[in-house]
Amino acid sequence: MELNMLELQNTLQRYGVMINFSGRFTQAIIEQLGDAVKKYLETEATSLTDTYNVFSVFIEQTQNIRNYDVKKADSPFGERIANSGIVAIGKTPTGYFVSSGNIVENSDISGLTTLLDEIVGLDKAGLKKRYKEQLREVVPPGSTGAGLGFLDMARRASSPPTYSFTALDENLSFFTLKVSI
């Protein structure tokens, strides 16, 4: 099967996608993409606030994918998970969005759903309060962060983030997260 690049480009444009990357997220790739995202947004007639918020959400989403890949490196599904990341930055008539996706183990869905449902249910004041509470919490040994990433993305969003899980088989699902700015 030959990849029809024109068809792919038309599909991305139909969804408003300006920048897209799919594949393994290494730290070097995240840094290079981050630089490209900043430069691209600076050439758009974008406010500094929008540029900073889009860039910050992009970094959070790609770091989350990378951290999950590292955490699951020894899993029987580690290689499949590591190669499943995708991120897209796009523009709609009302603003920007950053969407990402990656394969997750089904055993991790419950905890992720609980966390995201709590965040999605908070208003701006609640997000600020929860963020400050999280800053004071002790970071467990071996943790990849203080648990601030999803809260920070929600605080920068113009509306609550949306997410979904699409079952792939009895072990894995595809997790999608969209943050509108």
Side-chain angles (χ1 to χ4, degrees):
M1 178 172 114
E2 186 176 315
L3 178 62
N4 183 330
M5 294 304 288
L6 179 59
E7 182 181 322
L8 178 60
Q9 182 183 48
N10 288 336
T11 299
L12 292 172
Q13 287 175 345
R14 218 175 21 259
Y15 283 98
V17 174
M18 303 179 309
I19 300 171
N20 183 65
F21 177 82
S22 178
R24 188 180 293 252
F25 284 89
T26 64
Q27 193 58 43
I29 287 173
I30 292 170
E31 290 171 12
Q32 290 174 348
L33 286 172
D35 288 341
V37 166
K38 267 199 279 191
K39 285 182 175 86
Y40 185 90
L41 291 170
E42 288 168 357
T43 63
E44 291 274 306
T46 306
S47 74
L48 286 176
T49 301
D50 282 348
T51 297
Y52 182 73
N53 286 338
V54 169
F55 175 77
S56 294
V57 170
F58 165 82
I59 293 297
E60 286 293 345
Q61 287 189 10
T62 55
Q63 286 292 352
N64 283 350
I65 292 170
R66 173 74 178 136
N67 290 342
Y68 190 77
D69 293 350
V70 169
K71 179 180 172 184
K72 296 298 179 174
D74 294 331
S75 161
F77 312 107
E79 196 61 24
R80 192 167 168 201
I81 290 169
N83 289 306
S84 70
I86 185 168
V87 66
I89 298 172
K91 192 171 186 179
T92 67
T94 59
Y96 292 91
F97 66 85
V98 183
S99 292
S100 64
N102 62 299
I103 292 176
V104 297
E105 291 186 12
N106 291 340
S107 59
D108 294 325
I109 291 175
S110 177
L112 195 50
T113 299
T114 300
L115 173 65
L116 289 169
D117 284 347
E118 175 193 344
I119 290 169
V120 168
L122 296 172
D123 61 10
K124 289 292 184 186
L127 287 167
K128 184 176 181 178
K129 180 181 179 209
R130 184 71 183 100
Y131 187 86
K132 286 182 178 182
E133 291 169 357
Q134 194 68 32
L135 279 174
R136 290 189 284 270
E137 296 212 2
V138 176
V139 179
S143 175
T144 55
L148 297 171
F150 288 119
L151 283 166
D152 189 51
M153 285 188 274
R155 290 178 67 203
R156 296 177 187 285
S158 58
S159 59
T162 58
Y163 71 93
S164 65
F165 296 95
T166 304
L168 301 175
D169 58 37
E170 64 278 357
N171 299 304
L172 302 170
S173 292
F174 194 82
F175 169 59
T176 303
L177 176 67
K178 181 179 181 184
V179 178
S180 298
I181 298 161

